[in-house]
Amino acid sequence: MEKTYAPHSIEQRWYQTWEEKGYFAAKPEGESYCIMIPPPNVTGSLHMGHAFQDTIMDALTRYHRMKGYSTLWQAGTDHAGIATQMVVERLCNAEGLTRHDLGREKFLEKVWQWKEESGGTITRQLRRMGSSLDWSRERFTMDQGMSDAVQEVFIRLYEEGLIYRGKRLVNWDPVLHTAVSDLEVLSEEENGSMWHLRYPLSNGQGQLIVATTRPETMLGDAAVAIHPNDERYKHLLGEFVELPLTGRRIPIIADEYVDPEFGTGCVKITPAHDFNDYEVWSRHRHNSVIQDLPHGGLINILTVDASICADELVPGQYQGLDRFEARKKIVTDLDAAGLLEKIADHKLMVPRGDRTNSVIEPLLTDQWYVKVAPLAEPAIAAVENGDIKFVPDNWKNTYFEWMRNIQDWCISRQIWWGHRIPAWYDELGNVYVGNSEQDIRTKHKLPANYTLKQDEDVLDTWFSSALWPFSTLGWPEQTPELTKHYPTSVLVTGFDIIFFWVARMIMMGLKFQGEVPFKEVYIHGLVRDAEGQKMSKSKGNVLDPIDIIDGIDLDALVAKRTSGMMQPHLAKKIEQDTRKHFPNGIQSYGTDALRFTFASLASTGRDIRFDLARTEGYRNFCNKLWNAARYVLMNTEEQDNGLSGAPCKYSQVDRWITSRLHQVTAVTSNAIDNYRFDLAAQAIYDFTWNEYCDWYLELSKISLQSNDETLQRGTRKTLLTVLESILRLAHPIMPFITEEIWQRVAPLAGVIARDGVHAASRPGTGAAADTIMLQPYPVANEAQIDNKAIVETNWVMNFILGVRRIRGEMNIAPGKPLQVLLQNGSYIDQQNLNDNLSYLRKMGKLESIIWLNSNEAAPESAMALVGEMKILIPMAGLIDKEAELARLEKEIQKIKNDLPRIEGKLNNPAFVDKAPPEVIGKEKAKLTDLCSMLNNLEQQQLKIRAL
């Protein structure tokens, strides 16, 4: 092995090997374990949320693959309708063209060309993360099979009356000229104004004052609403107001939507341009005063680009004006007419398109909808009855809240890139839905010269995503993969798309497969920066996972963070912050250190604070593992490691480390089974660093340097088997370094072929594999746990730590031989001493160890305790009196600080009455131990003072 751990020299080489050899593919035999990747946008690049999520999915996939499951992690990307069209339109604009110049067919050719040439960025980055996706089965939401599935679902739902076309309010992006989903709308608080307008009563007997943040929408008002119990205005019900500037009269109506405490208690109702107002209109639409209004009160005043439309109901002076220009003119005209009460500063939530930053308008348009209620009922029941389990469980409440208040789903988008809606219209307005125009002509006996025109709209990207768990497996064909892997095992996703994606997959899966699409939904938290702030371009705190893997210099990091900003004025502050926090840029940490960081932070459901200091710590962990492997190889290569059949003898510490390995294996497996990757990572880290590297490797030297060949052989075998097991334990989280080391260790441990001779494979696994990926995950064996060895070795470690602590605090050189006196020890202490004398002498650098009788006066000594036993190091010629007194005072104060807490617990009836007896027993034992230690330390303090 190379002297220094260099991740870049191994990571891409191993990934290429794994992929070329087909190790990621699901094997035909074994129980299915299947995860569907949430398909990233084909336009996208890897962000920290992706990297976190993919680490979890890959760890689960690798873990179950090693446990013998037929493991499929389904690969694929989403066509990302709006995002992709925007990318290609910008390219066209750079050539001086618009998509309309090209026409639909030519434009779509350009999109496909872009996808083939530039759409693979995120899949390359997924490979850099070590993701063991089955790339041979990679799908794209616009590939032919997926398109067949989308068309099949649309037609079947339409024929069952569950898809319809209707005029409803949608979120309208006036730059993109399309409806967008709620997820594509970002609402943030901005400074604005509240305009208070006077609406005169039509009988001339007064006025009502209404307040609005969008005065231009008054042109489309249909009513003024009051609360039905508002005594100030109840007498006005049935009357009309004059709508300023328009010459129209609108009624005063009563509705409980109105908050009488807010503003004046009078609310203008503009149903064609406000979602809440639309609901009010829906409740009153059958009243004659509303029916008698133009268009039944649904008065649209905006064009698709948010200009005031040329409608006879709109005064001519406003027609054609941009909405914000119209706002200024309307306010000026109201003021001139004496109808502007006041203008007040007001903070409000402004909805903006996530891709264009334009203010979104609620707009009344003809759209296609899915009638969701009949699909929602079985989807709610599936979670209620436990067919689907949310992890953490509390997320099911969010799911129920959304599902029980569900609205019909707008599935049409006014763009070109996507699944075109399979509906055709004739000149009479009849609608025909089918697989193709020819299919419709045949089915409806329409001649070739009968004019049909296909719907221009495409389907919402989420529509195809809703079919992902079964369409990726070949549906509508009944494929072997569909039979084998549906329903899938777990969905790993963020909380923000429980409704947009998770719920819709459940509805569609139950509808078209008759079964839930997955058995568990693991909801992970959001990746935030080290201060807990959400990562965003405008905050300048975004980290690119590839930069953490490869490193990036400061100037390149600043350029990346300040380019392409929607708010360029923030660039200077972002540059200053970046230079302050990353004065040397970001160093290269490698993939394994990044993955281990994510795993260590992955406690169920909580947002995580990502701190590069942790990644640095785990890069050090990789170094520690690498150096430990080099030590083991140095002591085992070209040696008899117990494979020859010659007898092996195992020392107490060999038995201890083997026992601890099995205990840690049980903890790690249980943690992964329960999605506690943080606990799995902690168990692996603590055992590898603290027990195997820091203690066992040092203790093993004593056996290796002995003259007993059987003992040497047993220790070499233990060094290898425990290291080989650590590598398999850690592999799901750290795939690259574990594979690289395992390739060197496994032959020496007798796991894979060496020198052309195939080693004995493990029981039940068939032929030994030539990759750690396909080796079995370690299984804990209770029979291998030697509790006596654990207790004795812990005693040895505490003894050595006591001596080392005294050395450190007394500033005694690490190599200086010491005389040690022992007092107040039990029979077990004496036995432990006799059994472990060689460890204590060599590890503690001890010249002599002498027992004192309990009544024998000891010379003035520095003291450490192992239980009740005192370790005394005579201070003559060793001690700095004042330093020792300070040390003792520190220890005494620590115990005195701890005692009240434990005494308080035991004196608290609420604790004593409710706590289990074993917990109370532990607290009492802890109190007794602390009191005893305090007494000993105070006695020692008196002795030192007497010097």
Side-chain angles (χ1 to χ4, degrees):
M1 278 173 64
E2 294 294 327
K3 187 175 180 180
T4 307
Y5 166 59
H8 292 93
S9 68
I10 63 174
E11 290 178 355
Q12 295 194 49
R13 168 168 53 85
W14 273 118
Y15 196 91
Q16 191 175 345
T17 300
W18 294 331
E19 188 173 353
E20 285 174 356
K21 293 199 172 184
Y23 293 153
F24 302 153
K27 60 183 183 180
E29 69 279 357
E31 182 184 342
S32 167
Y33 185 85
C34 180
I35 298 179
M36 294 282 158
I37 192 171
N41 287 352
V42 71
T43 55
S45 57
L46 198 74
H47 58 60
M48 292 295 277
H50 286 133
F52 177 44
Q53 186 179 67
D54 294 327
T55 296
I56 291 168
M57 286 187 282
D58 192 52
L60 286 169
T61 301
R62 288 178 181 273
Y63 172 72
H64 285 89
R65 187 184 287 119
M66 294 175 79
K67 287 175 76 74
Y69 287 81
S70 172
T71 307
L72 171 63
W73 185 12
Q74 176 64 51
T77 48
D78 191 282
H79 65 277
I82 294 173
T84 307
Q85 179 157 318
M86 281 184 71
V87 167
V88 179
E89 279 199 74
R90 285 196 197 109
L91 293 174
C92 293
N93 294 344
E95 298 172 13
L97 297 169
T98 68
R99 64 183 164 114
H100 300 285
D101 294 331
L102 291 169
R104 187 169 193 142
E105 193 175 330
K106 290 287 184 190
F107 177 76
L108 291 178
E109 285 176 12
K110 267 194 170 295
V111 179
W112 278 107
Q113 182 184 348
W114 176 89
K115 188 261 177 187
E116 293 307 314
E117 293 172 1
S118 307
T121 299
I122 197 149
T123 57
R124 288 192 296 275
Q125 291 171 327
L126 283 166
R127 287 172 166 88
R128 293 296 312 279
M129 284 298 300
S131 304
S132 58
L133 289 146
D134 185 353
W135 297 108
S136 69
R137 294 189 45 77
E138 184 177 2
R139 302 303 300 268
F140 178 54
T141 50
M142 284 281 287
D143 68 31
Q144 189 56 55
M146 301 289 281
S147 296
D148 292 344
V150 167
Q151 194 147 293
E152 176 81 7
V153 166
F154 185 95
I155 293 168
R156 280 170 57 174
L157 290 177
Y158 178 79
E159 289 174 348
E160 291 181 39
L162 293 175
I163 281 182
Y164 65 93
R165 185 167 169 80
K167 193 179 281 289
R168 300 273 293 272
L169 273 190
V170 295
N171 295 313
W172 186 264
D173 188 314
V175 173
L176 295 176
H177 290 184
T178 183
V180 292
S181 70
D182 290 346
L183 198 64
E184 294 158 315
V185 179
L186 303 177
S187 293
E188 292 192 2
E189 190 174 72
E190 297 182 17
N191 292 320
S193 299
M194 181 77 80
W195 287 269
H196 295 252
L197 315 180
R198 299 186 184 119
Y199 283 23
L201 293 170
S202 60
N203 59 15
Q205 298 304 305
Q207 62 193 12
L208 293 181
I209 296 174
V210 300
T212 179
T213 58
R214 297 156 67 213
E216 68 280 6
T217 62
M218 63 160 291
L219 300 175
D221 283 1
V224 171
I226 62 167
H227 192 275
N229 298 327
D230 194 330
E231 297 295 337
R232 294 172 296 173
Y233 305 117
K234 279 172 73 172
H235 64 285
L236 297 175
L237 287 175
E239 292 192 32
F240 289 80
V241 294
E242 297 289 344
L243 183 60
L245 310 178
T246 66
R248 290 196 291 116
R249 289 194 321 155
I250 56 175
I252 300 169
I253 62 174
D255 194 277
E256 291 189 347
Y257 162 69
V258 179
D259 178 1
E261 303 298 321
F262 183 77
T264 63
C266 300
V267 177
K268 61 188 280 301
I269 302 300
T270 319
H273 296 288
D274 183 283
F275 289 102
N276 292 318
D277 292 2
Y278 183 85
E279 294 301 318
V280 173
W281 172 83
S282 298
R283 291 190 286 273
H284 295 267
R285 60 190 292 188
H286 301 300
N287 295 351
S288 59
V289 289
I290 299 295
Q291 287 182 340
D292 290 345
L293 293 170
H295 310 302
L298 276 180
I299 301 163
N300 180 34
I301 63 156
L302 293 177
T303 65
V304 293
D305 56 3
S307 297
I308 306 299
C309 66
D311 188 285
E312 61 182 13
L313 297 173
V314 176
Q317 66 267 35
Y318 308 122
Q319 293 180 13
L321 292 180
D322 171 77
R323 55 185 160 166
F324 299 119
E325 286 299 314
R327 176 180 297 179
K328 291 176 189 173
K329 184 161 179 51
I330 286 169
V331 170
T332 300
D333 291 351
L334 286 168
D335 194 20
L339 297 176
L340 181 63
E341 173 79 7
K342 65 176 179 177
I343 304 172
D345 291 340
H346 180 69
K347 286 188 180 296
L348 71 160
M349 300 301 290
V350 177
R352 292 185 179 273
D354 66 344
R355 292 185 176 85
T356 62
N357 203 40
S358 61
V359 176
I360 296 297
E361 287 289 347
L363 194 68
L364 197 63
T365 58
D366 286 313
Q367 303 285 348
W368 288 90
Y369 290 88
V370 175
K371 192 182 292 181
V372 180
L375 300 173
E377 282 182 33
I380 292 169
V383 176
E384 285 177 331
N385 65 26
D387 289 345
I388 295 175
K389 176 186 169 191
F390 277 85
V391 181
D393 184 63
N394 60 290
W395 284 110
K396 72 182 181 189
N397 299 323
T398 303
Y399 172 81
F400 288 143
E401 176 67 22
W402 278 331
M403 294 297 280
R404 287 170 180 152
N405 296 284
I406 201 162
Q407 301 287 319
D408 286 357
W409 172 18
C410 174
I411 55 170
S412 46
R413 296 291 180 267
Q414 290 66 53
I415 56 175
W416 287 353
W417 172 243
H419 297 102
R420 194 166 177 183
I421 290 173
W424 281 259
Y425 305 92
D426 63 18
E427 292 175 338
L428 300 174
N430 293 310
V431 182
Y432 306 90
V433 170
N435 286 305
S436 66
E437 183 178 332
Q438 189 53 52
D439 177 55
I440 285 166
R441 289 185 185 281
T442 303
K443 185 176 179 181
H444 294 276
K445 300 183 174 60
L446 301 175
N449 62 354
Y450 189 82
T451 302
L452 289 178
K453 185 180 179 185
Q454 187 174 0
D455 197 303
E456 294 287 330
D457 290 355
V458 300
L459 286 164
D460 177 13
T461 303
W462 292 105
F463 191 86
S464 50
S465 300
L467 320 181
W468 191 247
F470 54 92
S471 60
T472 50
L473 297 173
W475 189 91
E477 301 297 322
Q478 292 303 309
T479 63
E481 292 82 6
L482 187 61
T483 304
K484 175 87 173 176
H485 296 293
Y486 189 95
T488 66
S489 306
V490 62
L491 178 75
V492 178
T493 188
F495 64 87
D496 52 339
I497 54 174
I498 290 175
F499 176 67
F500 289 96
W501 191 43
V502 179
R504 288 164 179 172
M505 282 192 288
I506 295 171
M507 289 189 284
M508 292 299 189
L510 287 166
K511 176 68 178 172
F512 291 96
Q513 288 297 108
E515 286 184 274
V516 295
F518 26 73
K519 297 156 195 163
E520 292 185 305
V521 182
Y522 172 76
I523 302 292
H524 60 74
L526 193 69
V527 182
R528 297 181 178 273
D529 70 11
E531 280 75 49
Q533 295 291 312
K534 186 175 179 179
M535 291 189 182
S536 72
K537 187 84 174 172
S538 62
K539 288 192 177 84
N541 60 351
V542 172
L543 288 170
D544 182 337
I546 302 301
D547 291 342
I548 297 171
I549 294 170
D550 290 343
I552 184 171
D553 66 50
L554 177 58
D555 289 339
L557 181 61
V558 168
K560 178 179 277 194
R561 286 185 159 191
T562 55
S563 65
M565 295 187 66
M566 285 184 177
Q567 296 161 287
H569 64 281
L570 297 173
K572 187 171 183 181
K573 182 180 183 302
I574 288 168
E575 177 172 356
Q576 289 170 345
D577 289 347
T578 302
R579 291 186 182 278
K580 177 183 172 184
H581 291 110
F582 302 97
N584 301 310
I586 297 172
Q587 73 173 82
S588 164
Y589 294 103
T591 301
D592 285 324
L594 176 60
R595 287 173 58 120
F596 206 89
T597 307
F598 282 133
S600 74
L601 294 167
S603 58
T604 48
R606 295 180 190 160
D607 286 356
I608 70 169
R609 291 188 174 201
F610 189 91
D611 187 348
L612 272 174
R614 287 190 76 132
T615 311
E616 186 168 357
Y618 294 128
R619 167 63 195 257
N620 293 340
F621 176 58
C622 292
N623 286 335
K624 187 89 169 176
L625 181 59
W626 187 268
N627 291 333
R630 290 186 72 248
Y631 166 83
V632 172
L633 291 171
M634 198 163 49
N635 284 282
T636 56
E637 285 179 326
E638 309 304 325
Q639 299 287 340
D640 180 353
N641 301 316
L643 300 180
S644 64
C648 293
K649 182 177 173 183
Y650 299 100
S651 69
Q652 175 189 289
V653 292
D654 292 336
R655 297 193 303 277
W656 161 73
I657 198 68
T658 301
S659 302
R660 287 293 299 127
L661 170 68
H662 285 276
Q663 289 179 329
V664 169
T665 297
V667 168
T668 304
S669 296
N670 183 62
I672 297 176
D673 288 338
N674 288 286
Y675 303 103
R676 289 303 302 268
F677 301 96
D678 55 333
L679 300 181
Q682 192 63 45
I684 292 166
Y685 180 94
D686 288 344
F687 176 70
T688 304
W689 188 300
N690 300 331
E691 297 184 86
Y692 184 74
C693 296
D694 281 357
W695 281 105
Y696 180 66
L697 296 191
E698 290 302 312
L699 292 165
S700 71
K701 291 174 184 176
I702 294 163
S703 296
L704 294 175
Q705 292 163 9
S706 74
N707 296 320
D708 186 338
E709 287 189 13
T710 59
L711 188 59
Q712 289 179 16
R713 201 159 32 241
T715 295
R716 282 196 294 266
K717 186 173 183 180
T718 305
L719 279 166
L720 287 164
T721 53
V722 174
L723 176 57
E724 193 271 340
S725 295
I726 287 171
L727 296 172
R728 286 185 286 126
L729 267 184
H731 176 74
I733 299 174
M734 300 198 303
F736 294 113
I737 191 172
T738 52
E739 179 75 279
E740 179 72 12
I741 297 173
W742 187 85
Q743 291 292 330
R744 301 293 296 271
V745 169
L748 299 172
V751 177
I752 59 174
R754 187 183 183 196
D755 300 330
V757 180
H758 211 66
S761 60
R762 292 192 178 84
T765 63
D770 60 357
T771 173
I772 193 172
M773 277 184 60
L774 303 181
Q775 288 293 308
Y777 199 75
V779 177
N781 183 350
E782 286 274 340
Q784 292 289 313
I785 298 174
D786 183 337
N787 287 308
K788 183 173 179 291
I790 293 172
V791 170
E792 281 197 33
T793 305
N794 284 340
W795 185 92
V796 169
M797 292 191 293
N798 287 330
F799 191 115
I800 294 166
L801 286 171
V803 172
R804 287 176 177 172
R805 190 167 63 251
I806 291 172
R807 278 186 187 273
E809 290 168 355
M810 304 307 297
N811 212 15
I812 301 168
K816 183 177 177 63
L818 295 178
Q819 291 183 344
V820 169
L821 305 176
L822 301 178
Q823 194 172 42
N824 203 34
S826 65
Y827 170 74
I828 292 173
D829 289 325
Q830 292 182 29
Q831 198 171 20
N832 285 342
L833 177 69
N834 293 335
D835 291 345
N836 297 286
L837 211 49
S838 61
Y839 294 128
L840 297 174
R841 280 189 170 145
K842 290 185 180 178
M843 295 288 289
K845 302 289 191 294
L846 305 181
E847 189 174 63
S848 64
I849 304 174
I850 299 169
W851 279 103
L852 296 179
N853 294 326
S854 57
N855 58 359
E856 192 174 345
E860 298 307 332
S861 304
M863 184 180 74
L865 293 173
V866 177
E868 294 286 317
M869 185 182 76
K870 297 175 183 177
I871 300 173
L872 303 166
I873 296 179
M875 293 173 289
L878 291 175
I879 190 164
D880 176 332
K881 178 181 173 180
E882 296 307 319
E884 178 61 7
L885 284 172
R887 183 184 75 83
L888 288 168
E889 183 60 29
K890 186 178 173 185
E891 293 273 346
I892 288 167
Q893 285 307 316
K894 183 175 182 298
I895 293 172
K896 284 184 173 178
N897 290 338
D898 287 345
L899 278 173
R901 182 178 55 80
I902 298 169
E903 288 170 338
K905 258 190 188 180
L906 292 170
N907 292 329
N908 181 356
F911 172 75
V912 175
D913 294 345
K914 293 178 183 176
E918 61 271 19
V919 173
I920 295 171
K922 278 183 183 176
E923 291 297 317
K924 284 182 176 176
K926 199 184 291 180
L927 181 63
T928 304
D929 288 345
L930 284 175
C931 289
S932 174
M933 287 171 68
L934 180 62
N935 182 56
N936 285 327
L937 291 166
E938 287 176 338
Q939 292 297 318
Q940 182 73 356
Q941 193 178 47
L942 289 172
K943 285 183 183 179
I944 301 294
R945 284 195 179 125
L947 283 176

